[in-house]
Amino acid sequence: METNLFWMVPAASLIALFMAWYFYRGMMKESEGTDQMKKIAGYVRKGAMSYLKQQYRIVGIVFLVLVVLFSIMAYGFNLQNPWVPVAFLTGGFFSGLAGFLGMKTATYASARTANAARNSLNAGLRVAFRSGAVMGLVVVGLGLLDISFWYILLQWLVTGLSGTEKLCMITTTMLTFGMGASTQALFARVGGGIYTKAADVGADLVGKVEAGIPEDDPRNPATIADNVGDNVGDVAGMGADLYESYCGSILATSALGAAAYLLKGDVDMQMRAVIAPQLIAAVGIILSILGIFCVRTKEDATMKDLLNSLSLGTNLSSVLIVGATFLILWLLGLENWALISCSVVVGLVVGVVIGRATEYYTSQSYKPTKKLAESGTTGPATVIISGVGLGMISTAIPVIAVVVGIILSYWFASGFDFTNVAMGLYGIGIAAVGMLSTLGITLATDAYGPIADNAGGNAEMSGLGEAVRHRTDALDSLGNTTAATGKGFAIGSAALTGLALLASYIEEIRIGLQRLGETTIQIGTNVIPVHEATFSDFMAFYEVNLMSPKVLSGMFIGAMMAFLFCGLTMNAVGRAAAHMVDEVRRQFREIKGILTGEAEPDYARCVQISTKGAQKEMVFPSLLAIVAPIITGLVFGVPGVIGLLVGGLSAGFVLAVFMANAGGAWDNAKKYVEEGNFGGKGSEVHKATVVGDTVGDPFKDTSGPSLNILIKLMSMVSIVMAGLTVAWSLF
């Protein structure tokens, strides 16, 4: 039965890719509008593709160096599985491909969305959302295709192992392609985030505040670079980000399922535990497609109506996946299937709670953001203070939701037995899979945001009139909220996935010891065979406890990494933005006739500045995330690495929620004022909220969303380098 059910996984991945092509083809059939609209869209498309080519060139060099390192470890010193270098490359390739295809779609969709908005609000929403769905379906389709390919290949290639050991080897090997995906995602997020915020800050500070011209005004030299940045940061970056979250959660849970049945000798049940998360993800794809077709709205829709339109699709998919999960795990015959299904439901509920909390704290439809906009009446300083306070308060609900989710998912899957560690950890992992099971539609709502934003920019620059601009503004405001919700969702999934990866690290330690020829571990007077050791045995063997100086040192380093990484990326945005501000001021000063509309700004120069700044600034923070776990392992060994991962996960999760929500609230507070509240556009309150939005830009679009990748990348690097950590450490 389990073998027959498994084929649903590659089938669902192919269906997702087919539907992505179907939505892409439908979007391309729409008219791109006037010649001016086509011209502007062409500028954005050219800039985005140019940037991405340069980014992939730099990332390619990094990947080459890492592949050489992994090859030496695998083939020279036998510290790794020989398939690691190849798996690492495929993970990076598919992550980059997902981002590329999503961004290509977005750059073609923006002008078409603006043109559709000339007819009706629903027409604009339909084009933008289904174009966003291409991103969502490409991510889940490529993710499951890569996972099923490696599972089938390794089932055939892994020989010499019998019983439950074979699946443990297969699943831990598959985990390594997650590092390739995480590495690519971090470069995409950091580079894209620096690019878009450098352009955005330059456009806002000089254009809106100093020159007093509207957002996306064609007289602003940075406006094309700003629109390019939306695509490279919020589409390509987010796509690569959630690709690695999606794959990471499935792979970690499969590895935990294999480990849970390692000692029981039940190969059939072990296989069911391994493919269960893959099957849940496969069913989630089908239900996501169903939800996508349900998204529509009416012409006079309010912001709450638009939010409800998107919520209908996502909620329908989520409700249906609950019933489907119980059915699929029952058909699979998984042990304790009913309670494990409850763990999946817990993950879904946690995701919904985090999304709703994010929406409440960031949407201008609710009190917190309205109060933030009101603080602008006393100047920019109070806007910044209020935004920081709002972001800090907003961390409470997501953290409590994740804590409750961890306890409940562990409790259900363990059969209400907290001593059953292996199955409890499996429950946490499958909760993360549940949270991401409907990623096809949740990512569609996120990718929709930058498409709508670019559509608004195209409408403004093309002079389409107040009515069209009003519709695109409504779609754009909705996009700001969905983007904030998507970031909250990604961060929440990172917390659960990070815990699952931490548990998988222990299993990789077991394999590392076996590869070195160690057959036993000694705990006090007890000698335990390595292949029979439990999670608790390894914790005792390596003295992983809160009184261990190695663990404590690692925890402090992990917490520091979250803040250091944010500091580096925010300063990078500041430096790149300073160059952009200088350039926009220079053009206003030297190119006569820009502000009167008699001369065209040099858009290409601003695109070049953002591209150069992003390429230069993204390398060091990204490499730091790779190097930190390796050095910690070489110095403090396994206990230090576990401390690093725990510290990074706890501090990084809370900090990421704070930054994403504060930034989203600042952005929508500005939008609320621009709707005519507190004096509207051009007022002193508006200028104050623009400053707040400028501060929030790197919060929500660079540092904050990059943190969830940092958390998982450090875990993935630790897993891949476990053999080296086991073999040698200073202390």
Side-chain angles (χ1 to χ4, degrees):
M1 174 62 79
E2 59 267 17
T3 303
N4 292 332
L5 285 173
F6 168 77
W7 291 106
M8 287 177 57
V9 179
S13 71
L14 293 174
I15 291 171
L17 294 173
F18 172 78
M19 291 305 300
W21 171 80
Y22 171 79
F23 288 136
Y24 176 81
R25 190 182 66 169
M27 178 272 294
M28 291 297 289
K29 288 181 178 178
E30 297 285 337
S31 171
E32 206 167 12
T34 65
D35 289 341
Q36 180 66 10
M37 294 171 72
K38 293 176 183 177
K39 180 182 176 183
I40 292 164
Y43 281 149
V44 174
R45 192 155 49 244
K46 182 181 178 182
M49 291 301 174
S50 175
Y51 168 79
L52 215 58
K53 286 178 182 177
Q54 293 187 54
Q55 177 179 284
Y56 287 164
R57 190 178 299 118
I58 294 172
V59 174
I61 295 170
V62 174
F63 266 70
L64 181 62
V65 173
L66 290 173
V67 166
V68 171
L69 174 63
F70 297 153
S71 299
I72 293 171
M73 290 177 62
Y75 308 122
F77 299 100
N78 195 33
L79 296 175
Q80 280 181 346
N81 187 298
W83 288 103
V84 165
V86 183
F88 172 75
L89 280 176
T90 64
F93 173 76
F94 279 109
S95 176
L97 182 62
F100 172 80
L101 293 175
M103 194 196 73
K104 182 179 179 181
T105 303
T107 58
Y108 279 105
S110 56
R112 289 170 168 83
T113 300
N115 190 60
R118 297 167 76 184
N119 299 320
S120 71
L121 185 64
N122 186 59
L125 177 65
R126 184 176 178 274
V127 173
F129 184 74
R130 292 196 175 183
S131 300
V134 174
M135 174 88 269
L137 294 173
V138 162
V139 164
V140 296
L142 290 177
L144 273 194
L145 187 66
D146 200 8
I147 289 169
S148 55
F149 167 78
W150 274 104
Y151 182 77
I152 295 167
L153 183 67
L154 292 172
Q155 281 278 14
W156 178 51
L157 290 174
V158 174
T159 57
L161 295 174
S162 59
T164 54
E165 290 185 1
K166 181 175 180 178
L167 271 178
C168 280
M169 178 60 71
I170 289 172
T171 52
T172 50
T173 301
M174 288 170 66
L175 263 176
T176 59
F177 90 68
M179 181 184 167
S182 294
T183 303
Q184 163 60 33
L186 190 61
F187 275 98
R189 254 308 187 192
V190 173
I194 294 170
Y195 184 110
T196 184
K197 293 306 104 181
D200 201 2
V201 170
D204 283 355
L205 283 182
V206 186
K208 284 185 176 179
V209 177
E210 294 180 10
I213 58 179
E215 186 170 9
D216 297 318
D217 193 296
R219 293 171 293 175
N220 194 326
T223 191
I224 295 293
D226 186 13
N227 282 287
V228 171
D230 290 334
N231 290 286
V232 300
D234 291 337
V235 180
M238 175 59 83
D241 176 358
L242 284 171
Y243 176 90
E244 65 92 22
S245 290
Y246 186 71
C247 292
S249 65
I250 297 170
L251 294 169
T253 307
S254 292
L256 289 172
Y261 288 94
L262 176 65
L263 304 181
K264 297 181 180 180
D266 190 342
V267 179
D268 289 338
M269 196 58 66
Q270 185 190 41
M271 180 171 286
R272 291 167 190 172
V274 167
I275 67 172
Q278 301 175 38
L279 287 171
I280 293 168
V283 173
I285 285 178
I286 306 302
L287 298 178
S288 291
I289 293 170
L290 178 64
I292 289 166
F293 281 104
C294 295
V295 175
R296 55 181 56 117
T297 192
K298 55 188 179 181
E299 180 57 33
D300 57 344
T302 64
M303 181 55 61
K304 284 191 175 180
D305 292 332
L306 288 169
L307 283 169
N308 289 334
S309 298
L310 295 187
S311 297
L312 174 64
T314 53
N315 292 341
L316 178 65
S317 300
S318 298
V319 169
L320 292 176
I321 195 67
V322 170
T325 296
F326 279 88
L327 177 63
I328 204 76
L329 295 188
W330 172 71
L331 288 173
L332 190 60
L334 185 64
E335 187 179 56
N336 194 25
W337 64 269
L339 290 177
I340 291 174
S341 297
C342 290
S343 293
V344 176
V345 175
V346 167
L348 275 165
V349 172
V350 171
V352 170
V353 170
I354 292 174
R356 288 295 185 185
T358 305
E359 182 183 317
Y360 174 74
Y361 282 108
T362 60
S363 173
Q364 65 261 51
S365 300
Y366 299 99
K367 187 177 178 180
T369 299
K370 289 180 179 178
K371 293 290 290 183
L372 179 58
E374 188 181 353
S375 70
T377 56
T378 51
T382 48
V383 171
I384 294 167
I385 293 169
S386 299
V388 170
L390 182 153
M392 288 180 172
I393 292 170
S394 73
T395 62
I397 295 175
V399 169
I400 292 170
V402 167
V403 169
V404 172
I406 290 168
I407 297 298
L408 288 180
S409 59
Y410 186 106
W411 193 50
F412 283 129
S414 66
F416 309 117
D417 179 11
F418 276 101
T419 62
N420 188 0
V421 178
M423 287 307 299
L425 292 171
Y426 181 73
I428 294 173
I430 211 161
V433 174
M435 186 184 288
L436 292 167
S437 58
T438 56
L439 184 63
I441 187 169
T442 52
L443 183 51
T445 63
D446 193 56
Y448 151 87
I451 294 172
D453 192 355
N454 268 218
N458 196 302
E460 178 71 33
M461 286 183 278
S462 302
L464 295 187
E466 198 62 34
V468 177
R469 186 62 186 170
H470 179 73
R471 290 170 185 156
T472 57
D473 280 348
L475 296 175
D476 184 19
S477 294
L478 174 65
N480 285 332
T481 301
T482 60
T485 305
K487 291 180 179 73
F489 188 80
I491 294 163
S493 68
L496 293 180
T497 303
L499 279 172
L501 289 170
L502 180 59
S504 299
Y505 175 67
I506 303 300
E507 189 56 33
E508 192 68 38
I509 294 298
R510 181 200 309 273
I511 293 173
L513 287 169
Q514 291 175 328
R515 191 171 284 116
L516 291 171
E518 301 287 341
T519 57
T520 61
I521 57 173
Q522 186 168 346
I523 306 169
T525 58
N526 297 327
V527 178
I528 303 170
V530 170
H531 69 278
E532 294 180 4
T534 63
F535 284 102
S536 301
D537 291 333
F538 282 113
M539 291 292 158
F541 175 67
Y542 284 108
E543 298 180 345
V544 179
N545 59 72
L546 290 178
M547 292 297 101
S548 167
K550 298 178 186 177
V551 175
L552 288 171
S553 298
M555 289 175 67
F556 276 112
I557 294 170
M560 175 207 70
M561 278 294 299
F563 285 87
L564 177 61
F565 182 83
C566 286
L568 290 170
T569 50
M570 288 190 70
N571 282 336
V573 170
R575 285 190 294 270
H579 291 302
M580 185 64 71
V581 167
D582 289 340
E583 174 60 21
V584 176
R585 285 173 176 168
R586 183 195 68 79
Q587 291 199 32
F588 280 157
R589 186 174 61 250
E590 296 180 6
I591 304 176
K592 306 300 181 184
I594 287 183
L595 289 175
T596 59
E598 297 169 1
E600 186 175 88
D602 186 356
Y603 300 124
R605 177 60 183 158
C606 292
V607 170
Q608 186 183 8
I609 287 173
S610 268
T611 301
K612 186 178 179 181
Q615 302 296 327
K616 179 182 176 183
E617 298 284 0
M618 74 177 183
V619 176
F620 181 69
S622 302
L623 289 179
L624 187 65
I626 298 172
V627 171
I630 299 174
I631 294 176
T632 303
L634 291 173
V635 177
F636 296 115
V638 172
V641 172
I642 292 175
L644 174 83
L645 299 182
V646 170
L649 176 60
S650 53
F653 171 57
V654 179
L655 185 59
V657 173
F658 155 66
M659 298 187 84
N661 287 353
W666 273 317
D667 194 349
N668 279 335
K670 177 198 69 178
K671 294 287 185 187
Y672 186 67
V673 174
E674 289 176 345
E675 289 171 0
N677 301 289
F678 304 113
K681 291 183 179 179
S683 66
E684 290 303 313
V685 177
H686 181 231
K687 291 180 180 179
T689 55
V690 168
V691 173
D693 178 38
T694 303
V695 174
D697 276 336
F699 272 54
K700 68 180 174 66
D701 289 327
T702 308
S703 301
S706 297
L707 276 171
N708 61 298
I709 310 174
L710 175 76
I711 293 166
K712 289 169 291 186
L713 180 57
M714 289 200 301
S715 299
M716 288 293 186
V717 173
S718 300
I719 289 170
V720 172
M721 304 301 290
L724 180 62
T725 306
V726 170
W728 189 88
S729 65
L730 184 61
F731 297 109

